[in-house]
């Protein structure tokens, strides 16, 4: 820089500094001004809050005139014990600590549930906000709040919990806000009870199976002839399934007439393929520009996963010594985890387990008397209807021979950096419009009415027996049906897939139904007819998202289940193991044997021998393999790619032949060859059935080329394709083909920030193993593992991947990842914990 | 006073004032003390520009004095979020460049103001 004189230099300097000041004061590309962001005292490099520090603390808290003495015991595995002399203290402190360690996570969940995420993130998530407004979380949560007794258990627990959250937020120094808030220029707002209920609605939706299946499946019903639908998509799976509540074990729930005989499960009830949905995007602009394709995208939310295991054993399997429970819900393994671990001790309560941040209490865990776990029921909880709307009277729909006015909710979505979006949410008597325009589609979901699952959790945290648990489930748990496996201190076990199962009088619920009124829900399956097991003589109950009931169950409950191979493996192990203790339960939970190898591997080996592959290295590898997906197995790698190719090679020609396209779900849903088709849905089950029982059936032949194929020829085609792929990618068979070199686990950022992901580590298992690790680079698997022996429940063990902190630079961000991958368990109530944490156990003290 | 000592003192004041302003959240005002310090450097533009370096060092020290690991880690997270390479380096560098420019230009203004007045007289 050169100056011709002092005056010039003065002016240039003034202008330059003005430019610098302006530049650091403006925000660009969505990033806050540098003067704020880079401010060493208040920006992203500001000093942080005190980090998580294991140890014990004693607190006295006075809220609204009530004094609580609280002991907080923070463990190095991230579990936090809270003991208080009163109920307020325990939930207050839980709210405070959830906010302290997971404020970003809670806030994102809250904003998502409210349909307000775009007010913080910007236009990219407007379609998601539109959808959550259409789910009416706000209105349903308000109704729930209105119905809660102000002196009841639920309301008070929520009140204390929210007081704790707000105590933390109110005292938060802006300089110590989490980094995402600083980058988004966002300050968290105080919570209300309604906010918690809205988050409940979000999780109910995310755990409601079925989703948009009927919209996708309607394409199959329209495009494929009935005999093909029957062959490829039977309404009851044709494969090997061990139902959760089989007729042989509890015939009492199979007695009624039911609705299934009135339904037509192989034909489209509504058919209008000539005007496909995908052309409707522009006409739906009046609901926020949400086209169907956008809707599908917005619903693929990262938490929406269905895969889990739970089982309980007693009597003959434990030498009549005790009842034990194991559970591992399979969700996205994220950082931060969707779980937080707590032990909550207060008068009449000592519960330990995990909870979603934003919820009070414990969702999965045990108390001194009862232990419980859950798997997703995978029953159908969403039904779709095509409404008849007169274009000149768009606020009316035709139902039961008359025009009925929609109930209309006007919603404003504020969008950061853009104009706000106005939408009309239209509710009919058979659901809420999720697709507007010429062919309005309404979705009915059991969660559109108030329900009290939080009440269920708060009650079971204190429940005293399996029978009491059953009563609470039947009373409070309605939406997002789970298979609740339960064991108690008295040696009882049970499994209760309770909830609202809709009943319709006619039509095909697998597809879109006419919205004219005759196909609406007419009620729910009566509670005494809902499937359940209590103390079956065989000594065990189990579920792994397999089909709920036997084929003669009188009610329709759904059709698109997990394919049942994890369940088959559990069934096999429970039948072949005696004298169960905690170690044996852990061993089952960590099993990495793929049950499908019992079915396919002998057939494949036989096919190889028949076709002259009998002396090959590959043949020897597969023949000497035991079906365990271990990290040093090359056979595991071959098998993994082979089974995928087998499924795809057999069914892909049918998708082509019947013109199922990507916009109709091809490659996205399991029944149209989604990435999960080797462990979920009907296609893999068809393949098992045909390979085992009908190896020459016509369905192996290629409908496009007309080439005749059999099970053997298709298996060999798939093998050749697999070997060609592996040779090209990894060279000749060697250690580089080992499963652990190809198959890895990582924890993905809950906020979708790739740099916040953990590193990838070699992992055993696949999508069909009890210890599941779906995909090749997997962030999907057991999000929580627990085993409890209810005869001395204080020795229970568990672990969740990740850590307590949501800050990637904390040493407690991913500290439990490697131990979890290695199959390590921690004592949930450590021996070193203060005596109050053993309250209600022998030797414990009152809090 | 010896000019050398005076300049060293000015640099030290610059460093400390930048550090203190950064610690107290007034980072963007570090050019104000630099205006006064600039008066000392009349006619010595190069020496004045060195003041900018000391200002940047002061700001950097404000990060190092308390929880340096955490704060540099946070810079690294920001880099990850907005997708810039080399971990925290570029983020910290941007902050230091801005600090340098603010102090340097502040010093320049002070420096040129004094010259200007002298010439007018």
């Amino acid at each position: 820089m050169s100056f011709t004189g002092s005056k010039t230099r003065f002016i240039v300097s003034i202008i330059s500094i003005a430019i610098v000041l302006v530049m650091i004061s403006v925000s660009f590309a969505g990033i806050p001004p540098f003067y704020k962001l880079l401010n060493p005292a208040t920006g992203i490099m500001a000093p942080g809050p005190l980090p998580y520090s294991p140890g014990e603390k004693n607190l006295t808290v006075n809220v609204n005139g009530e004094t609580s003495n609280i002991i907080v015991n923070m463990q190095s595995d991230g579990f936090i014990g809270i003991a208080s002399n009163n109920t307020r203290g325990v939930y207050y402190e839980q709210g405070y600590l959830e906010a302290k360690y997971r404020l970003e996570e809670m806030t994102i969940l809250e904003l998502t549930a409210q349909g307000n995420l775009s007010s913080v993130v910007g236009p990219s998530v407007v379609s998601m906000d539109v959808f959550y407004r259409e789910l009416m979380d706000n209105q349903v949560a308000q109704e729930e709040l209105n119905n809660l007794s102000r002196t009841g258990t639920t309301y008070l627990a929520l009140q204390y919990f929210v007081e704790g959250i707000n105590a933390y937020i109110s005292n938060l120094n802006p300089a110590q806000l989490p980094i995402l808030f600083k980058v988004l220029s966002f300050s968290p707002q105080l919570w209300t009870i309604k906010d918690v209920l809205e988050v409940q609605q979000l999780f109910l939706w995310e755990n409601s199976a079925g989703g948009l299946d009927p919209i996708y499946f309607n394409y199959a019903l329209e495009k494929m002839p009935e005999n093909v639908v029957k062959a490829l998509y039977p309404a009851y799976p044709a494969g090997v399934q061990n139902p959760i509540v089989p007729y042989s074990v509890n015939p009492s729930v199979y007695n009624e007439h039911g609705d299934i005989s009135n339904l037509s499960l192989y034909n489209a009830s509504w058919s209008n393929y000539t005007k496909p949905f995908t052309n409707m995007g522009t006409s739906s602009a009046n609901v926020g520009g949400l086209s169907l394709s956008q809707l599908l995208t917005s619903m693929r939310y990262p938490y929406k996963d269905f895969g889990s295991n739970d089982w309980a054993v007693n009597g003959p399997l434990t030498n009549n010594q005790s009842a034990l429970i194991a559970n591992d819900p399979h969700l996205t393994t994220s950082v931060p985890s969707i779980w937080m671990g707590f032990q909550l001790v207060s008068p009449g309560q000592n519960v330990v387990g995990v909870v979603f941040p934003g919820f009070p209490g414990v969702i999965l865990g045990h108390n001194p008397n009862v232990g419980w776990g859950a798997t997703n029921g995978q029953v159908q909880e969403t039904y779709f209807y095509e409404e008849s709307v007169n274009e000149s009277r768009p606020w009316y729909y035709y139902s039961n021979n008359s025009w009925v006015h929609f109930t209309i909710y006007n919603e404003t979505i504020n969008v950061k950096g853009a104009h706000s979006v106005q939408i009309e949410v239209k509710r009919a008597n058979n659901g809420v419009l999720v697709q507007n325009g010429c062919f309005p589609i309404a979705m009915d979901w059991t969660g559109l009415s108030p329900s009290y699952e939080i009440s269920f959790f708060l009650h079971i945290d204190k429940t005293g027996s399996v029978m009491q648990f059953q009563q609470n489930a039947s009373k409070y748990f309605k939406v997002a049906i789970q298979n609740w496996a339960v064991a108690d201190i008295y040696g009882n076990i049970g499994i209760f897939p309770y909830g609202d199962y809709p009943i319709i009088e006619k039509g095909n619920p697998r597809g879109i139904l006419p919205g004219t009124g005759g196909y609406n829900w007419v009620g729910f399956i009566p509670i005494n007819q809902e499937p359940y097991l209590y103390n079956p003589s065989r000594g065990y109950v189990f579920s792994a998202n397999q089909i709920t009931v036997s084929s003669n169950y009188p009610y329709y409950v759904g059709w698109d289940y997990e394919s049942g191979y994890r369940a088959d493996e559990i069934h096999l192990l429970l039948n072949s193991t005696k004298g169960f203790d905690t170690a044996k339960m852990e061993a089952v939970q960590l099993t990495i044997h793929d049950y499908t190898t019992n079915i396919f591997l002998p057939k494949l080996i036989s096919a190889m021998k028949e076709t002259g592959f009998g002396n090959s290295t590959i043949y020897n590898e597969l023949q000497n393999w035991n079906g365990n997906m271990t990290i040093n197995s090359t056979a595991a790698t071959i098998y993994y790619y082979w089974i995928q190719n087998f499924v795809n090679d057999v069914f892909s020609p049918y998708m082509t032949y019947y013109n199922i396209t990507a916009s109709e779900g091809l490659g996205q849903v399991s029944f149209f060859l989604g990435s999960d088709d080797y462990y979920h849905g009907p296609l893999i089950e068809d393949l098992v059935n045909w390979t085992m029982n009908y190896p020459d059936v016509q369905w192996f032949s290629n409908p496009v080329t007309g080439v005749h194929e059999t099970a053997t020829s298709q298996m060999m085609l798939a093998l050749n394709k697999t070997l060609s792929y592996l040779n090209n990618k990894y060279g000749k068979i060697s250690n580089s083909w080992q499963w652990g070199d190809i198959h890895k686990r990582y924890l993905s950022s809950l906020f979708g920030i790739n740099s916040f992901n953990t590193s990838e580590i070699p992992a055993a298992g696949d999508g069909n193993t009890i210890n599941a690790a779906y995909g090749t680079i997997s962030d999907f698997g057991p999000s929580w593992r627990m085993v409890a022996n209810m005869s001395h429940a204080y020795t229970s063990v568990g672990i969740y991947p990740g850590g307590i902190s949501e800050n990637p630079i904390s040493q407690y961000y991913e500290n439990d990842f490697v131990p979890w991958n290695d199959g390590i368990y921690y004592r949930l109530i450590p021996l070193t914990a203060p005596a109050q944490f053993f309250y209600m156990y022998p030797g414990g003290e009152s809090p | 006073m010896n000019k050398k000592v005076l300049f060293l003192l000015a640099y030290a004041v610059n460093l400390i004032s930048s550090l203190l302003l950064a610690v107290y959240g007034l980072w963007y005002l570090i050019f104000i003390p630099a205006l006064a310090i600039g008066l000392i450097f009349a006619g010595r533009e190069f020496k004045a520009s060195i003041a900018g370096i000391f200002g940047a060092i002061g700001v950097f020290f404000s990060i190092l004095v308390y929880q340096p690991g955490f704060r540099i880690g946070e810079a690294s997270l920001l880099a990850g979020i907005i997708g810039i390479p080399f971990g925290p380096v570029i983020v910290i560098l941007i902050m230091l460049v801005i600090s340098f420019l603010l102090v340097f230009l502040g010093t320049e203004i002070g420096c040129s103001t004094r010259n200007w007045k002298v010439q007018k007289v």
Side-chain angles (χ1 to χ4, degrees):
Chain A
M1 203 181 287
S2 70
F3 302 120
T4 52
S6 296
K7 269 190 191 173
T8 311
R9 213 167 70 231
F10 176 78
I11 292 165
V12 168
S13 299
I14 289 279
I15 292 171
S16 300
I17 206 163
I19 290 170
V20 172
L21 288 172
V22 167
M23 284 186 70
I24 65 173
S25 303
V26 295
S27 134
F28 60 92
I31 300 171
F34 277 175
Y35 90 90
K36 278 174 76 175
L37 195 65
L38 300 180
N39 190 320
T42 58
I44 54 109
M45 283 178 272
L50 287 175
Y52 183 82
S53 171
E56 188 190 323
K57 287 172 194 160
N58 290 286
L59 312 166
T60 301
V61 174
N62 191 307
V63 182
N64 290 342
E66 187 176 14
T67 301
S68 308
N69 298 317
I70 301 169
I71 306 169
V72 178
N73 184 33
M74 297 201 275
Q75 301 169 28
S76 55
D77 63 6
F79 256 72
I80 301 178
I82 304 170
S84 174
N85 61 331
N86 56 37
T87 305
R88 182 190 290 266
V90 81
Y91 291 126
Y92 173 94
E93 190 61 18
Q94 186 183 21
Y96 187 93
L97 293 172
E98 284 188 17
K100 182 170 182 180
Y101 296 112
R102 297 288 180 84
L103 190 57
E104 289 171 317
E105 181 175 8
M106 288 170 65
T107 304
I108 295 293
L109 294 178
E110 178 198 18
L111 292 168
T112 303
Q114 293 171 337
N116 273 331
L117 199 57
S118 47
S119 68
V120 177
V121 175
S124 61
V125 290
V126 167
S127 62
M128 186 184 286
D129 278 347
V130 169
F131 181 70
Y132 281 102
R133 297 292 178 111
E134 290 173 343
L135 279 186
M136 301 180 57
D137 287 354
N138 173 35
Q139 290 84 355
V140 176
Q142 186 61 55
E143 278 187 72
E144 290 167 348
L145 178 59
N146 295 344
N147 294 342
L148 283 177
S149 161
R150 270 31 183 182
T151 54
T153 303
T154 305
Y155 186 89
L156 291 175
L158 292 172
Q159 180 189 324
Y160 304 151
F161 178 70
V162 167
E163 283 170 357
I165 296 173
N166 291 340
Y168 179 75
I169 292 174
S170 303
N171 292 317
L172 195 56
N173 176 347
Q176 294 182 340
L177 284 172
I179 189 166
L180 286 185
F181 291 168
K182 289 178 181 171
V183 172
L184 294 168
S185 293
F186 175 75
S187 294
Q189 307 299 304
L190 296 181
W191 278 51
T192 64
I193 292 175
K194 189 176 143 202
D195 291 334
V196 181
L197 294 169
E198 285 174 329
V199 175
Q200 171 192 267
Q201 289 304 110
L202 171 68
F203 277 99
L204 292 180
W205 170 252
E206 295 303 330
N207 284 287
S208 289
L212 291 187
D213 280 1
I215 288 186
Y216 288 120
F217 195 62
N218 212 71
Y219 291 116
L221 293 170
E222 288 179 320
K223 290 182 167 185
M224 295 177 174
E226 186 173 335
N227 69 317
V228 175
V229 175
K230 278 186 169 160
L232 269 56
Y233 304 112
Y236 191 87
V240 184
Q241 283 267 7
N242 286 291
I244 297 165
V245 183
Y247 175 74
S248 58
V249 182
N250 183 7
S252 72
V253 296
Y254 287 75
N255 291 335
E256 295 292 319
H257 178 65
D259 66 346
I260 202 162
S261 55
N262 303 327
L263 307 179
S264 52
L265 295 170
Y266 294 97
N267 306 104
S269 303
W270 175 78
S271 188
N272 211 332
Y273 182 71
T274 52
K275 292 171 183 171
F277 300 112
T278 43
N279 290 345
M280 295 171 58
T282 51
S283 63
S284 64
N286 56 346
V287 287
L290 181 66
S291 69
L292 183 73
S293 57
Q294 286 172 308
L295 172 65
L296 299 178
T297 305
S298 71
M299 293 177 73
R300 263 179 244 119
Y301 202 64
Y303 311 129
K304 202 170 185 65
D305 316 316
F306 305 120
S308 310
N309 309 302
D310 64 4
W311 63 92
V313 292
N314 73 349
L317 272 65
T318 63
N319 300 324
N320 292 315
Q321 295 295 308
S322 57
L324 290 93
I325 175 86
N327 180 214
D328 53 298
H330 301 175
L331 301 163
T332 298
T333 49
S334 61
V335 269
S337 167
I338 64 153
W339 299 113
M340 286 183 83
F342 281 102
Q343 184 183 3
L344 306 175
V345 183
S346 58
Q349 171 175 259
N350 185 352
V351 62
V352 62
V354 287
V355 66
F356 296 128
F359 278 50
V362 160
I363 290 177
L364 300 173
H366 71 83
N367 62 35
N369 300 313
V370 181
W372 59 92
T375 68
N376 193 281
Q378 304 212 349
V379 299
Q380 187 173 332
E381 295 174 84
T382 50
Y383 284 55
F384 288 83
Y385 297 91
E386 194 251 342
E387 304 292 356
S388 298
V389 177
N390 185 329
E391 281 184 26
S392 62
R393 304 170 76 200
W395 295 282
Y396 288 85
Y397 63 102
Y398 195 71
S399 178
N400 291 320
N401 303 315
S402 63
W403 290 98
V404 183
H405 202 291
F406 284 109
T407 304
I408 294 175
Y409 301 89
N410 291 303
E411 301 273 337
T412 302
I413 300 172
N414 295 318
V415 184
K416 184 180 178 183
H419 292 297
S420 59
V421 174
Q422 308 290 328
I423 62 166
E424 275 183 350
V425 175
K426 294 178 178 172
R427 182 155 185 184
N429 60 7
N430 51 9
V432 62
L433 283 201
V434 291
Q435 168 77 10
N436 214 329
C438 302
F439 297 95
I441 302 294
M443 180 183 77
D444 215 352
W445 170 47
T446 48
L448 291 176
S449 300
S451 60
Y452 298 92
E453 285 70 18
I454 284 183
S455 299
F456 169 71
F457 300 132
L458 294 170
H459 279 86
I460 60 172
D461 287 353
K462 298 175 185 174
T463 199
S465 68
V466 172
M467 290 290 274
Q468 279 184 19
F469 186 101
Q470 181 181 18
Q471 287 159 10
N472 283 313
S474 64
K475 187 174 179 183
Y476 297 113
F477 204 88
K478 301 297 179 189
V479 184
I481 293 171
Q482 305 289 307
N483 304 306
W484 294 100
V486 197
D488 71 20
I489 192 171
Y490 311 108
N492 301 307
I493 59 171
I495 193 162
F496 308 102
Y498 280 175
D500 283 345
Y501 294 85
I503 296 174
I504 60 172
E505 288 181 330
K506 61 179 177 181
N508 185 356
R510 296 209 288 172
I512 298 170
L513 293 157
T516 48
Y519 300 80
N520 294 355
W521 296 353
V522 293
F524 301 106
I525 297 177
I527 188 69
N528 65 346
Q529 286 297 301
E530 288 189 19
Y532 78 96
L533 295 177
Y534 178 71
N535 280 341
S537 58
R538 66 188 186 185
Y540 63 86
V541 297
F542 73 106
S543 74
N545 317 102
Q546 78 272 35
I547 193 159
T548 317
V549 287
S550 300
S551 58
N552 57 331
Y553 188 66
Y555 295 96
Y556 172 79
V557 294
W559 70 284
D560 185 22
Y561 292 87
E562 206 82 345
S563 306
Y565 306 117
R566 280 183 290 110
D568 292 334
E569 185 77 24
I570 295 169
H571 186 251
L572 186 74
L573 294 172
L574 294 181
N575 270 307
S576 59
T577 310
K578 298 290 178 204
F580 267 104
D581 57 13
T582 300
K584 287 182 179 176
M585 295 286 271
E586 287 176 13
V588 174
Q589 202 166 54
L590 297 173
T591 298
I592 49 165
H593 179 260
D594 184 331
Y595 187 86
T596 63
T597 61
N598 295 7
I599 301 163
F600 287 126
L601 198 55
K603 298 285 182 190
L604 175 61
I605 287 169
S606 166
M608 290 175 77
K609 208 169 181 179
E610 270 179 45
T611 51
F613 268 80
N615 290 322
S616 65
T617 314
I618 303 296
Y619 178 86
N620 290 333
E621 284 284 331
L622 290 171
Q623 200 188 28
N624 295 327
W625 183 46
N626 60 6
N628 285 351
M629 304 296 288
T630 53
I631 57 172
N632 56 4
S633 169
T634 50
T637 303
I638 298 166
Y639 184 79
Y640 175 82
Y641 285 105
W642 173 80
I643 194 172
Q644 304 229 32
N645 284 327
F646 189 27
V647 179
N648 278 291
D649 289 356
V650 171
F651 292 103
S652 184
Y654 285 93
M655 303 301 143
T656 306
Y657 189 76
Y658 291 107
N659 193 27
I660 301 294
T661 63
S663 66
E664 294 161 354
L666 180 64
Q668 296 172 59
V669 290
S670 63
F671 45 79
F672 291 157
L673 294 173
S675 59
D676 57 348
D677 60 4
Y678 74 102
Y679 62 81
H680 181 102
L683 300 184
I684 182 75
E685 294 184 82
D686 294 340
L687 219 43
V688 167
N689 182 35
W690 299 339
T691 306
M692 297 296 288
N693 303 315
Y694 312 101
D696 296 322
V697 75
Q698 68 190 88
W699 307 113
F700 281 114
S701 296
N702 187 322
V704 177
T705 62
V707 173
H708 175 73
E709 302 283 1
T710 64
T712 299
S713 65
Q714 285 283 19
M715 282 192 281
M716 290 310 296
L717 284 171
L719 183 65
N720 286 331
K721 190 188 267 190
T722 299
L723 297 179
S724 170
Y725 171 80
L726 292 172
N727 276 313
N728 283 338
K729 188 155 188 187
Y730 303 106
K732 282 189 173 176
I733 185 166
S734 67
N735 285 349
S736 64
W737 286 31
Q738 287 186 347
W739 185 230
D741 284 358
I742 290 159
H743 179 250
K744 299 183 177 179
R745 287 192 200 265
Y746 75 110
L747 308 182
S748 58
S749 163
L750 189 74
F751 310 116
I753 301 168
N754 290 339
S755 61
F756 287 13
N757 295 346
T758 67
S759 55
E760 297 165 359
I761 55 177
D766 69 4
N768 280 317
T769 56
I770 298 174
N771 183 3
Y774 306 85
T776 45
I777 306 297
S778 179
D779 65 344
F780 190 95
S783 62
W784 157 243
R785 292 190 184 114
M786 182 193 78
V787 174
N789 183 337
M790 293 313 300
S791 65
H792 36 88
Y794 54 89
T795 62
S796 66
V797 293
I799 188 170
Y800 68 86
I804 180 77
S805 175
E806 62 185 352
N807 188 326
I809 61 174
S810 164
Q811 70 178 106
Y812 295 99
Y813 181 66
E814 57 173 288
N815 55 312
D816 295 328
F817 174 38
V818 172
W820 165 82
N821 190 49
D822 290 344
I824 305 291
Y825 291 78
Y826 300 124
R827 283 270 301 238
L828 295 179
I829 309 174
L831 285 169
T832 53
Q836 288 83 352
F837 291 96
F838 292 91
Y839 170 58
M840 299 169 76
Y841 292 108
E845 286 180 15
S846 295
Chain B
M1 192 186 285
N2 182 317
K3 285 247 161 136
K4 242 182 191 173
V5 175
L6 186 66
F7 291 159
L8 283 175
L9 203 62
Y11 292 144
V13 169
N14 208 338
L15 187 148
I16 290 165
S17 63
S18 297
L19 188 153
L20 290 175
L21 284 167
V23 165
Y24 287 101
L26 301 169
W27 166 62
Y28 44 87
L29 298 182
I30 54 175
F31 67 92
I32 292 174
L35 291 170
I37 289 163
L39 295 171
I40 296 167
F41 292 101
R44 289 180 169 83
E45 289 79 21
F46 177 73
K47 285 195 165 60
S49 68
I50 291 174
I53 295 171
F54 280 91
I57 292 170
V59 171
F60 190 51
F61 277 3
S62 76
I63 292 172
L64 299 182
V65 290
Y66 182 60
Q67 294 186 336
F70 174 85
R71 297 166 83 171
I72 292 169
E74 293 280 300
S76 179
L77 294 183
L78 178 66
I81 293 169
I82 58 181
I84 54 177
F86 309 120
V89 174
I90 293 178
V91 173
I92 292 174
L93 213 55
I94 291 170
M95 183 191 69
L96 295 181
V97 167
I98 293 169
S99 304
F100 169 80
L101 286 173
L102 287 173
V103 175
F104 165 64
L105 292 169
T107 316
E108 275 296 323
I109 292 167
C111 182
S112 56
T113 306
R114 189 169 174 206
N115 279 349
W116 181 30
K117 279 180 183 169
V118 169
Q119 283 166 14
K120 271 181 92 174
V121 168

